């Protein structure tokens, strides 16, 4: 961390020129998702005062923006909500001429289906949802694919996310479909497959699934990599497996909502976050992966070399981002209620 | 036998109420960041808390809004209770009923309807809208506590004061207020607590300029609650307990 701070201090020499109007910036973001130092340094460099407010879910953020409308200059929705808010005309297009650091992003993360050409969004952090296995209780080779979750020895030892999209992604991927599939026949197949899996589930948890793994209540869980990273630090026997069939990836992007007033400040902040040293500082502090390709040289080797945080290119190519699926969500929800009901 | 059953029952109730607080306090000194295992004694979370400016700012904002909204609610609530107790006027029953309706309304309904109202009037969301939201939330409870206190009055005292030439304001200031003080303090503390831990109404009625602590903590679930929060909880519990003890002492001295 010290090294990084030093790097940040050194790069202050090449700081972005301060803006004429020392303005304000209202950032609406997940809690604890941006280090205080990063924000403070931005204020030091530009004189722009950043006001943070936080939300706990995409739904909450969406509700607030939809209802209250103005007052926020930057929001950080997940990929499917970028798609949704883009289609509902709730976002402002970005002025790319002000984002000189945009090319620092790896093209693996730009130009995604949920926002072609990144007209509205700048990738901030990304990660994956895959399988955490306690190799101490299940053995090294117990799980290599989603199909292995249906093995009888998983009975009563399985944790799934409390989220219909993530759970359907497991079945859809193991059937060879896209996790954004909306074909009712495919969803029916996925539902039938999941019905067979339900008796094995001991816990549904999206908030802090690492706890159940660490306490030994479950031995295998479909969780996201940030949680797996912490669990693995606490107990090295808990390993993270990228399933063969492919897996779901999540990405949070920065967007400017309609009704934002401080557009220059917002663009200045976006461009600042796109700097390799800043992106690396955020990634190291938070334990999530940065989509910034040039940040690698600033990362601590133990983070950059950890496959839980940075899977190799071949593995990452199997990942797929969630997009908004519109009307099909109702089908998902109906099946979800049936599945959860059958589990009581 | 009987006395032991009673004692055991009381002990259970208190354990149920206070054990969570004890657990939080213990974990705020636990060196382990994520797991529930005890990994030695540390004060580092308290140090980290001091460095976590955004969290401490949110805590101060929460305290400010709680003190101000409790005080405003007390003024409005006490006046309302006095009116309801002292006078018979048209619409009194309706006022009564509306207070109870407010108490029974789910927070989410209050929150959304206030937001729609504020947006309709064209107010920008921030400290003032949040204050109005919290006052709306607390006034019915203050009114109810103070009203029950008035109910236990001896009405002849007020009549005697009037016979001796006290005007309405003097009656209120010299007789009613001192007698209602315990109810007032209870109402104030209740409001303070409600304001301090309200999430739902705050979420809808506050804006980007004024974020309060419960919202900040609530939105940590995505990345895991950090131990700084345990430390902060202990600090806030301590402050609250101190406030309660202090208010009790002040009341004792008065009577």
């Amino acid at each position: 961390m010290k090294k990084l701070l030093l790097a940040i201090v050194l790069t202050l020499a090449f700081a972005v020129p301060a803006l004429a109007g020392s303005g304000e910036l209202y950032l609406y973001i997940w809690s604890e998702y941006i280090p205080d130092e990063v924000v403070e340094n931005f204020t030091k460099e530009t004189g722009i005062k950043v006001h943070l407010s936080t939300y706990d879910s995409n739904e909450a953020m969406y509700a607030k923006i939809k209802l209250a409308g103005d007052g926020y200059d930057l929001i950080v929705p997940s990929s499917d909500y970028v798609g949704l808010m883009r289609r509902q005309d709730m976002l402002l297009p970005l002025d790319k001429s002000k984002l000189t650091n945009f090319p620092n992003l790896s093209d693996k993360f730009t130009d995604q289906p949920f926002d072609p050409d990144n007209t509205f969004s700048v990738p901030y952090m990304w990660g994956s949802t895959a399988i955490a296995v306690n190799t101490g209780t299940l053995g090294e080779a117990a799980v290599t694919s989603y199909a292995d979750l249906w093995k009888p020895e998983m009975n009563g030892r399985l944790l799934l996310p409390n989220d219909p999209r993530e759970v359907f992604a497991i079945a859809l991927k193991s059937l060879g479909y896209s996790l954004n599939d909306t074909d009712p026949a495919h969803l029916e197949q996925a539902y039938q497959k999941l019905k067979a899996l339900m008796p094995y589930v001991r816990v549904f948890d999206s908030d802090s699934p690492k706890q159940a793994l660490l306490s030994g209540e479950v031995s295998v869980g479909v969780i996201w990599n940030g949680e797996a990273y912490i669990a693995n630090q606490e107990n090295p026997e808990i390993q993270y497996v990228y399933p063969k069939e492919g897996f779901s990836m999540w990405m949070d992007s920065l967007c400017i909502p309609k009704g934002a007033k401080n557009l220059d400040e917002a663009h200045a902040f976006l461009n600042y976050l796109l700097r390799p040293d800043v992106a690396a500082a955020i990634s190291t502090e938070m334990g999530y992966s940065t989509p910034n390709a040039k940040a690698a040289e600033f990362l601590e080797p133990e983070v950059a070399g950890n496959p839980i945080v940075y899977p190799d290119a071949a593995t990452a190519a199997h990942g797929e981002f969630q997009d908004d699926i519109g009307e099909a969500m109702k089908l998902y929800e109906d099946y979800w209620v049936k599945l959860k009901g059958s589990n009581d | 036998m009987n006395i032991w059953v009673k004692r055991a029952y009381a002990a259970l109730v208190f354990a149920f109420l206070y054990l969570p607080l004890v657990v939080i306090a213990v974990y705020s000194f636990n060196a382990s960041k994520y797991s529930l295992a005890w990994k030695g004694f540390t004060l580092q979370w308290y140090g980290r808390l001091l460095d976590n400016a955004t969290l401490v700012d949110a805590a101060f904002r929460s305290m400010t809004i709680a003190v101000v909204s409790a005080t405003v609610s007390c003024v409005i609530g006490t006046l309302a209770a006095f009116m309801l107790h002292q006078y018979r006027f048209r619409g009194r029953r309706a006022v009564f009923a509306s207070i109870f309706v407010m108490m029974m309304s789910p927070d989410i309904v209050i929150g959304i309807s206030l937001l729609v109202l504020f947006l309709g009037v064209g107010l920008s969301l921030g400290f003032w809208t949040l204050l109005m939201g919290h006052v709306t939330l607390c006034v019915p409870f203050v009114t109810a506590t103070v009203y029950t206190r008035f109910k236990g009055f001896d009405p002849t005292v007020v009549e005697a004061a009037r016979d001796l030439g006290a005007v309405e304001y003097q009656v209120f200031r010299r007789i009613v207020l001192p007698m209602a003080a315990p109810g007032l303090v209870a109402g104030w503390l209740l409001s303070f607590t409600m304001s301090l831990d309200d999430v739902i109404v705050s979420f809808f009625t506050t804006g980007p300029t004024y974020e309060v602590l419960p919202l900040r903590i609530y939105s940590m679930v995505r990345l895991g609650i950090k131990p700084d929060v345990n430390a902060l909880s202990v600090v806030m519990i301590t402050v609250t307990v101190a406030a309660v003890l202090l208010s009790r002492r002040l009341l004792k001295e008065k009577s």
Side-chain angles (χ1 to χ4, degrees):
Chain A
M1 196 65 226
K2 279 227 169 61
K3 263 197 314 199
L4 267 161
L5 285 176
L6 188 68
I8 292 175
V9 171
L10 287 176
T11 47
L12 286 182
F14 312 98
V16 282
L19 293 174
S22 91
E24 316 258 318
L25 175 70
Y26 292 96
L27 171 64
Y28 201 28
I29 188 169
W30 306 89
S31 192
E32 304 292 318
Y33 207 29
I34 187 163
D36 285 347
E37 302 93 39
V38 168
V39 177
E40 283 159 17
N41 278 319
F42 174 72
T43 304
K44 272 193 205 117
E45 286 183 25
T46 60
I48 295 170
K49 191 162 169 23
V50 182
H51 301 271
L52 268 180
S53 38
T54 55
Y55 51 87
D56 64 303
S57 67
N58 281 300
E59 289 78 3
M61 179 273 299
Y62 174 81
K64 190 88 186 193
I65 297 288
K66 190 99 180 154
L67 288 165
D70 58 357
Y72 299 101
D73 301 318
L74 276 176
I75 52 174
V76 195
S78 304
S79 53
D80 48 338
Y81 272 77
V82 175
L84 175 69
M85 293 173 94
R86 178 173 65 86
R87 285 180 201 109
Q88 296 201 342
D89 202 23
M90 292 167 69
L91 304 174
L92 286 176
L94 304 169
D95 181 352
K96 290 285 182 29
S97 70
K98 290 182 184 156
L99 301 179
T100 48
N101 294 327
F102 195 86
N104 293 344
L105 290 167
S106 151
D107 55 17
K108 274 195 304 216
F109 303 103
T110 52
D111 195 18
Q112 292 293 328
F114 61 83
D115 183 20
D117 280 338
N118 289 83
T119 315
F120 299 97
S121 67
V122 173
Y124 177 62
M125 293 264 184
W126 67 280
S128 56
T129 307
I131 310 173
V133 189
N134 188 330
T135 54
T137 53
L138 287 173
E140 287 285 341
V143 180
T144 56
S145 68
Y146 275 141
D148 290 335
L149 297 180
W150 277 263
K151 282 185 184 171
E153 71 242 46
M154 307 300 162
N155 194 347
R157 292 172 157 185
L158 175 65
L159 177 145
L160 290 185
N162 194 9
D163 176 304
R165 290 290 311 269
E166 291 287 8
V167 170
F168 265 85
I170 298 168
L172 288 166
K173 280 289 173 196
S174 65
L175 290 162
Y177 301 133
S178 156
L179 54 85
N180 293 316
D181 204 319
T182 54
D183 180 337
H186 293 172
L187 290 179
E188 170 68 24
Q189 273 177 297
Y191 165 69
Q192 293 301 344
K193 214 168 156 54
L194 287 171
K195 228 161 86 169
L197 188 64
M198 281 300 126
Y200 290 8
V201 181
R202 188 169 173 82
V203 183
F204 287 99
D205 186 355
S206 297
D207 293 337
S208 190
K210 59 181 177 288
Q211 300 291 11
L213 277 157
L214 286 169
S215 69
E217 190 184 356
V218 296
S219 301
V220 61
V222 176
I223 70 179
W224 36 287
N225 60 329
E227 291 279 299
Y229 177 79
I230 297 165
N232 173 266
Q233 300 275 318
E234 293 264 330
N235 175 3
E237 283 186 336
I238 295 174
Q239 292 181 3
Y240 192 60
V241 177
Y242 293 98
K244 288 201 295 263
E245 303 99 329
F247 51 92
S248 125
M249 291 216 284
W250 55 267
M251 184 155 76
D252 295 330
S253 304
L254 294 136
C255 304
I256 302 181
K258 270 218 166 118
K261 292 188 183 66
N262 306 301
L263 296 179
D264 285 343
E265 288 82 353
H267 281 92
F269 194 62
L270 285 174
N271 209 31
Y272 169 80
L273 293 180
L274 285 166
R275 266 171 31 188
D277 55 314
V278 175
I282 298 171
S283 173
T284 306
E285 171 87 7
M286 301 284 148
Y288 293 103
S289 331
T290 173
N292 196 310
K294 297 236 173 74
E297 56 182 293
F298 295 93
L299 286 170
E300 314 259 334
E302 62 265 27
V303 177
N306 187 328
I308 299 179
V309 189
Y310 289 102
D312 58 57
T315 308
H318 281 297
E320 188 183 5
F321 287 112
Q322 271 190 23
D323 194 357
D324 167 52
I325 44 169
E327 288 297 297
M329 199 60 214
K330 286 202 185 68
L331 259 179
Y332 274 81
E333 293 284 356
D334 289 349
Y335 281 135
W336 181 241
V337 170
K338 280 198 229 168
L339 283 174
K340 294 276 291 240
S342 71
N343 209 33
D344 291 337
Chain B
M1 159 70 204
N2 203 352
I3 186 81
W4 286 110
V5 171
K6 280 183 189 162
R7 278 185 188 168
Y9 172 74
L12 256 177
V13 171
F14 278 102
F16 193 77
L17 288 173
Y18 285 96
L19 259 177
L21 301 186
V22 172
V23 170
I24 280 271
V26 168
Y27 274 112
S28 74
F29 299 109
N30 184 1
S32 156
K33 188 168 178 182
Y34 295 107
S35 72
L36 298 175
W38 181 258
K39 296 207 172 158
F41 181 89
T42 178
L43 285 173
Q44 63 167 323
W45 308 126
Y46 288 86
R48 279 267 303 272
L49 175 63
L50 289 176
D51 291 339
N52 194 336
T54 52
L55 197 63
V56 175
D57 285 351
F60 270 106
R61 282 197 290 266
S62 262
M63 285 286 188
T64 311
I65 200 87
V67 168
V68 176
S69 66
T71 310
V72 174
S73 305
C74 264
V75 173
I76 300 177
T78 308
L79 286 174
F82 183 64
M83 292 274 301
L84 288 169
H85 175 72
Q86 205 63 25
Y87 303 103
R88 297 291 171 269
F89 51 94
R90 273 176 64 119
R92 181 172 170 274
R93 294 184 75 112
V95 173
F96 234 113
S98 69
I99 284 168
F100 280 99
V101 168
M102 280 299 295
M103 279 169 102
M104 308 304 283
S105 302
D107 283 1
I108 189 114
V109 175
I110 297 177
I112 290 183
S113 50
L114 281 170
L115 175 66
V116 171
L117 172 73
F118 293 148
L119 294 174
V121 180
L123 289 172
S124 62
L125 300 176
F127 174 83
W128 294 106
T129 50
L130 181 67
L131 178 65
M132 286 186 250
H134 280 195
V135 168
T136 311
L137 198 66
C138 298
V139 160
F141 289 91
V142 178
T143 311
T145 5
V146 179
Y147 182 81
T148 35
R149 179 81 197 166
F150 283 154
K151 271 277 188 244
F153 267 20
D154 181 357
T156 50
V157 179
V158 174
E159 279 166 32
R162 284 201 180 123
D163 287 345
L164 294 167
V167 293
E168 215 44 40
Y169 168 76
Q170 284 172 310
V171 169
F172 185 75
R173 174 76 190 75
R174 304 272 163 192
I175 316 275
V176 175
L177 264 189
M179 283 168 101
L184 253 169
V185 172
W188 193 93
L189 286 172
L190 188 66
S191 303
F192 179 82
T193 322
M194 279 173 66
S195 167
L196 202 60
D197 63 15
D198 165 78
V199 172
I200 299 170
V201 173
S202 302
F203 174 77
F204 287 106
T205 54
T206 191
T209 48
Y210 205 86
E211 186 173 51
V212 285
L213 187 72
L215 293 177
R216 180 58 57 100
I217 293 177
Y218 204 69
S219 46
M220 281 184 188
V221 293
R222 162 131 203 208
L223 306 161
I225 305 277
K226 289 161 82 177
D228 316 14
V229 177
N230 297 350
L232 182 64
S233 307
V234 174
V235 172
M236 292 188 71
I237 290 166
T238 314
V239 169
T240 315
V241 169
V244 172
L245 292 177
L246 190 74
S247 68
R248 289 191 59 127
R249 281 202 55 156
L250 288 175
L251 275 183
K252 270 214 182 77
E253 278 168 20
K254 266 195 178 151
S255 51

